[in-house]
Amino acid sequence: MNRLFLLRVEEFIALVFLVPTTYLTVVANVYAHRVGDLGDRHPGGLLRLGVALLFLAALAVARRRWPDARWSKGLREVLPLVTCLLIYTNLHDTIGFVNPHDVHAVLAEMDRDLFGVIPCVWAQQFITPGRTELMNFLYLNFFWIAPSTSLILLVRRRLPEFRTVTMGVLACFYLGYFLYVLFPAAPPRLVLTYEFTRNLQGYPSLMSNLSARAFSLLPVDSRAAFPSLHGAVSLVALVYAWRFLRPWFWVLLPFSVGLWASTIYLRHHFAVDLFAGWALAPIAIWVAPRLDGWWTARQASLGYATARGAVLSPPPVRLTA
């Protein structure tokens, strides 16, 4: 078991999630083939896995042949983020095979109890093609918002801060994945179809068209809405930007607030999904350095190499008589 500590903690956690989701993605593909519902999304899942395996193989070769090359070391730093996003996309295909007990009806009632209306239904009165284009643009920004603070710190060679931010982002993602499985919930756009009386029609060939193509690749029974990781991870990125890259915080802030608004406007989340995401963010920020410190201390005690920028956890305080 000690040999597990040859891996970094984020690599170990990635394997814990990647192995079962890979298996379940294959199961989903076989099931869809048998029932005659083999849409683009299922071959897409297999394609993502194939690309990931090629990337991992290339990294293994690079680490063996050029262990001291800067680019080789850089690949290892960014691989956990890439793997994490891969798992995120595959979860859409697999949660229904793990836990069939949906909670989205409860979430809808919670929204009604809190606001008297369901915010994403109420928001349809503000729909215009221009706003729809803007909201799709803001929503799609998530994929650069999430890793942005980490990557800036990596480019600047601020490795301890890069490590702290990366671990916080990854902890937020993986805690969210666990909650996805524990509380399966489809987005409002799939479960409240009869309450929406206006289409989210944008302009042809612009952001809304791109977004529609992207979501057409997701399963119609997607169960990855609670908590909102768009809300959680963007808040984590904001907190760390405030702490380590104050000017970048002011760049991220309007995009993050716009992202949160877009999740409601575009019917991707209930309001309580967002609240849960915002609550998850400080938990991830608290858990990440403690987990990383414990793992790093264990690696050091075994004489194994630790991650660049990793900090040993402080020794425990002992009370003596």
Side-chain angles (χ1 to χ4, degrees):
M1 293 297 292
N2 285 340
R3 293 183 64 83
L4 289 175
F5 290 92
L6 288 168
L7 299 172
R8 298 175 181 179
V9 62
E10 67 271 24
E11 295 168 343
F12 172 72
I13 295 173
L15 286 176
V16 169
F17 277 85
L18 187 60
V19 170
T21 56
T22 297
Y23 167 75
L24 289 170
T25 295
V26 175
V27 169
N29 187 80
V30 172
Y31 172 79
H33 182 77
R34 286 179 177 175
V35 300
D37 186 30
L38 192 63
D40 292 340
R41 62 185 182 270
H42 293 292
L46 295 180
L47 176 61
R48 291 192 300 269
L49 291 176
V51 171
L53 291 174
L54 287 174
F55 192 82
L56 288 171
L59 177 63
V61 172
R63 293 291 297 169
R64 181 175 293 273
R65 296 195 60 180
W66 304 283
D68 299 322
R70 179 176 294 184
W71 63 269
S72 177
K73 293 179 179 179
L75 279 178
R76 190 175 187 184
E77 303 297 344
V78 301
L79 179 63
L81 289 169
V82 175
T83 305
C84 189
L85 291 174
L86 168 73
I87 295 169
Y88 179 68
T89 57
N90 284 341
L91 274 173
H92 287 278
D93 290 330
T94 59
I95 290 175
F97 288 87
V98 180
N99 184 357
H101 305 294
D102 297 332
V103 301
H104 38 252
V106 175
L107 300 178
E109 287 307 310
M110 291 175 68
D111 264 18
R112 282 197 177 96
D113 290 342
L114 286 171
F115 301 102
V117 294
I118 298 178
C120 59
V121 177
W122 169 82
Q124 66 183 332
Q125 63 186 298
F126 302 108
I127 291 175
T128 66
R131 291 193 186 108
T132 299
E133 290 296 332
L134 174 62
M135 290 298 173
N136 276 294
F137 167 74
L138 291 168
Y139 188 80
L140 293 174
N141 283 328
F142 174 70
F143 289 101
W144 66 259
I145 290 174
S148 63
T149 305
S150 289
L151 295 178
I152 292 172
L153 291 167
L154 178 61
V155 169
R156 293 187 177 185
R157 307 288 295 168
R158 294 171 58 181
L159 295 181
E161 293 95 337
F162 163 77
R163 178 78 184 167
T164 297
V165 177
T166 300
M167 288 302 301
V169 169
L170 292 175
C172 192
F173 268 116
Y174 286 122
L175 288 171
Y177 297 166
F178 176 75
L179 292 173
Y180 279 173
V181 176
L182 198 61
F183 302 107
R189 69 177 189 276
L190 298 182
V191 298
L192 299 179
T193 53
Y194 295 110
E195 297 197 39
F196 296 121
T197 58
R198 299 189 62 182
N199 292 328
L200 288 168
Q201 185 64 49
Y203 296 116
S205 303
L206 293 179
M207 296 303 300
S208 59
N209 186 48
L210 175 63
S211 180
R213 288 186 177 184
F215 279 96
S216 70
L217 297 179
L218 294 178
V220 295
D221 55 351
S222 174
R223 295 295 185 272
F226 183 87
S228 169
L229 283 181
H230 285 71
V233 177
S234 59
L235 182 56
V236 169
L238 274 174
V239 169
Y240 283 126
W242 178 265
R243 185 181 300 177
F244 299 129
L245 293 168
R246 190 67 55 87
W248 184 243
F249 169 85
W250 297 111
V251 175
L252 279 184
L253 182 60
F255 286 103
S256 297
V257 173
L259 170 65
W260 301 338
S262 73
T263 65
I264 301 298
Y265 179 96
L266 296 173
R267 307 164 181 175
H268 296 319
H269 286 293
F270 296 102
V272 291
D273 298 342
L274 269 181
F275 297 158
W278 292 334
L280 177 62
I283 295 173
I285 291 170
W286 185 87
V287 166
R290 287 159 178 80
L291 176 61
D292 193 34
W294 175 81
W295 191 276
T296 300
R298 183 63 175 161
Q299 286 180 313
S301 70
L302 293 170
Y304 296 155
T306 60
R308 294 190 298 171
V311 179
L312 296 175
S313 58
V317 177
R318 298 183 181 277
L319 301 178
T320 57

